[in-house]
Amino acid sequence: MDLQVLRWFQAVAGGATVTGAAATAHVTQPALSRALARLEREVGTPLFTRNGRTLRLTPAGRLFADHLDQALESYDRGLRAVVELVDPDCGVVPLAFLHTLGTWLVPPLVSTFRAEHPRMRFELRQHGEATILRELLDGSVDFILTSGDPGHAQVSWQRLLIEPLWLAVPADHRLGQRKRVRLAEVADEPFIALREGYGLRTLTEQLCHQAGFAPRVTFEGEEIDTLRALVAAGLGVALLPPPYLEPSTSDIHPAPATHLRVTDVECARDLGLAWLAERPLPAASTAFRAHVLRSAPAITPPAYRSGRR
């Protein structure tokens, strides 16, 4: 079987259209379709069914895709290992992280590592917690930077930092001129939160429970920046990490949300590094893990250095 055709199959099995996969591979659509047909003949059974212009995996196709993902992951790891054996300073580190960590934690970790290893490269991905865990489990990345221990039997996790969570309220809110607040003071307010299944959503509910109430969630989202914007628009309050970049205002956008320290419950989340416990890591990733575990605890978010509340 042609390795390139297997990668084309993997792309289409992962949701890409034949047209999109062909464009990415720089081949014509008919050529890619013929290649997939040859692959089906080699396997001995149809791998796709057609629904209009969409190809869907047959049961045999799903089974083949699962095994193929593992095989290609092993092949790619082998290539990386050989490259790093020949030239230990010329490796690739695949890393996924939460969106909010891309503004302050990831840049210094990567830049200080590359100061020592200038020929190392990174493959960086930003997603929510569920997606980055899935990418770790399927071998797309070697590490994830996340909040809290994923609690998965295959995953090792180590705490790096404890990040506070502040109560975000609209600028013109009745508490907007305060610096500190008891979480119980907003028990009757509408809450804005991440969707169920996100770690911060679970933590928000737990902290509100500690403060003596169940939050009345009226808006749900998938990104913290979206939640912060909804708070600024006056649609509710939210427990969020501090804003690490100065917000901008204009005549179009509402005034930025005000962030208050919570005093009646300990509002914070653990940030840590996770990797697959049983998967051997290439040299580059092994070196990066050691660097992160050593240097991350000393990193201070910009919001604290600037003295903003």
Side-chain angles (χ1 to χ4, degrees):
M1 293 183 183
D2 188 322
L3 182 63
Q4 186 59 64
V5 174
L6 293 176
R7 294 198 186 278
W8 295 346
F9 167 83
Q10 188 180 45
V12 176
T17 64
V18 173
T19 301
T24 301
H26 303 292
V27 298
T28 65
Q29 180 179 334
L32 193 143
S33 296
R34 289 194 297 270
L36 294 179
R38 288 196 306 272
L39 177 62
E40 289 182 314
R41 289 195 296 272
E42 290 184 53
V43 174
T45 187
L47 301 176
F48 294 101
T49 58
R50 182 174 293 279
N51 183 4
R53 295 186 177 182
T54 302
L55 292 181
R56 300 190 183 280
L57 289 171
T58 63
R62 285 194 294 273
L63 182 62
F64 183 69
D66 288 342
H67 286 278
L68 179 62
D69 288 343
Q70 298 173 30
L72 291 180
E73 176 198 338
S74 180
Y75 175 81
D76 290 338
R77 287 205 315 269
L79 287 181
R80 285 176 55 197
V82 170
V83 168
E84 293 175 18
L85 178 65
V86 174
D87 189 348
D89 290 327
C90 188
V92 178
V93 179
L95 171 68
F97 50 91
L98 300 177
H99 288 278
T100 53
L101 306 184
T103 60
W104 67 275
L105 182 57
V106 173
L109 288 176
V110 172
S111 63
T112 52
F113 182 72
R114 292 198 74 239
E116 300 175 4
H117 307 276
R119 296 169 61 203
M120 293 288 190
R121 296 189 298 109
F122 281 81
E123 294 177 357
L124 303 177
R125 306 177 184 212
Q126 292 176 265
H127 301 290
E129 291 170 6
T131 302
I132 63 176
L133 177 59
R134 186 166 59 249
E135 291 190 334
L136 179 65
L137 294 173
D138 69 19
S140 300
V141 298
D142 286 348
F143 303 109
I144 58 175
L145 285 166
T146 186
S147 65
D149 187 339
H152 194 285
Q154 295 177 272
V155 175
S156 293
W157 181 86
Q158 185 162 333
R159 179 188 292 109
L160 302 174
L161 297 160
I162 298 176
E163 180 183 47
L165 299 176
W166 293 352
L167 182 71
V169 302
D172 59 355
H173 191 272
R174 60 185 174 84
L175 302 172
Q177 299 305 309
R178 301 258 296 270
K179 292 185 177 181
R180 294 173 176 81
V181 66
R182 291 184 302 111
L183 190 57
E185 293 183 67
V186 292
D188 296 328
E189 301 269 355
F191 265 74
I192 300 169
L194 295 177
R195 297 185 186 279
E196 291 187 3
Y198 283 80
L200 184 57
R201 169 63 175 267
T202 302
L203 183 56
T204 294
E205 292 174 342
Q206 291 172 346
L207 292 171
C208 290
H209 178 75
Q210 291 177 27
F213 68 96
R216 179 167 54 91
V217 177
T218 55
F219 288 90
E220 296 180 326
E222 296 181 347
E223 293 185 4
I224 286 178
D225 287 344
T226 300
L227 304 191
R228 210 183 307 274
L230 292 173
V231 172
L235 299 175
V237 302
L239 284 173
L240 300 174
Y244 296 125
L245 297 177
E246 293 291 342
S248 60
T249 59
S250 69
D251 293 337
I252 299 176
H253 298 288
T258 298
H259 296 77
L260 312 174
R261 296 182 185 272
V262 177
T263 59
D264 55 339
V265 294
E266 186 176 349
C267 288
R269 63 176 183 172
D270 293 329
L271 302 180
L273 184 72
W275 60 92
L276 289 183
E278 300 299 326
R279 179 194 295 166
L281 290 171
S285 291
T286 298
F288 181 68
R289 179 175 60 187
H291 172 77
V292 171
L293 298 181
R294 181 178 64 250
S295 60
I299 295 176
T300 303
Y304 306 135
R305 291 200 297 264
S306 67
R308 293 175 61 241
R309 62 178 186 173

